[in-house]
Amino acid sequence: MRNMGRTMTERLLFFVPPVHRPLAAQILRYLFAGGITTALQAATYWLLAGPAGWHPQLANFVGYLVAVATGYVLHGLFTFRNHGSGERGAGRGVRFVIVSLISLGINAFWVWLMTSALKLPDWAPIPLMCVVTPAFVFTLNRQWVFR
């Protein structure tokens, strides 16, 4: 009965040392919000590159536009809500756009590598888009955008 009043995050972090709980909670929030954002990007990419027959790089760009619009809101309001100085406005927005453009470049590289250089199916870049790129972007967002 003691756990009834705790949030799910508090229950998940029970075994994490208290000093590391803020970062661990932020990572859990990022996995949730970033998962939504990444899923939207990957689904948009796949639907356009696969069934719709668009060029994979164009599909990647449209997926990026969907992800950047949702990601800024979700990460600002949820993932990094209690992190850093709470700075809002143009400075944070510019940094977010720069990081999002870096993520676009990384994903464009995965698309090129998998579909052009290695001649793999259009779905081949999706695992890298869903694991490697978000891990890199989390670090940049935490340390620079939402500092």
Side-chain angles (χ1 to χ4, degrees):
M1 281 309 252
R2 267 178 53 210
N3 286 339
M4 294 297 273
R6 292 186 178 167
T7 66
M8 180 172 298
T9 302
E10 289 171 331
R11 281 183 255 151
L12 288 170
L13 300 176
F14 179 74
F15 294 105
V16 176
V19 70
H20 298 299
R21 284 183 188 160
L23 175 58
Q26 192 173 71
I27 290 170
L28 285 175
R29 290 191 307 268
Y30 183 79
L31 288 172
F32 178 74
I36 291 171
T37 302
T38 301
L40 286 171
Q41 191 277 333
T44 302
Y45 164 79
W46 169 241
L47 288 172
L48 295 177
W54 289 24
H55 188 280
Q57 291 294 0
L58 181 58
N60 179 54
F61 182 71
V62 174
Y64 158 79
L65 293 175
V66 170
V68 78
T70 57
Y72 184 75
V73 173
L74 286 177
H75 291 310
L77 294 176
F78 183 65
T79 305
F80 299 104
R81 68 176 180 240
N82 297 322
H83 182 72
S85 65
E87 172 201 0
R88 306 263 189 248
R92 179 198 281 181
V94 168
R95 290 190 304 273
F96 185 83
V97 168
I98 291 169
V99 170
S100 74
L101 289 171
I102 291 169
S103 75
L104 172 63
I106 293 169
N107 282 344
F109 173 74
W110 300 139
V111 169
W112 169 82
L113 178 67
M114 297 298 185
T115 64
S116 294
L118 298 176
K119 306 289 187 217
L120 296 173
D122 290 332
W123 60 262
I126 292 174
L128 295 166
M129 291 174 166
C130 292
V131 176
V132 178
T133 304
F136 183 72
V137 170
F138 172 80
T139 303
L140 285 175
N141 276 325
R142 186 172 198 284
Q143 298 299 322
W144 191 49
V145 177
F146 298 98
R147 61 179 181 216

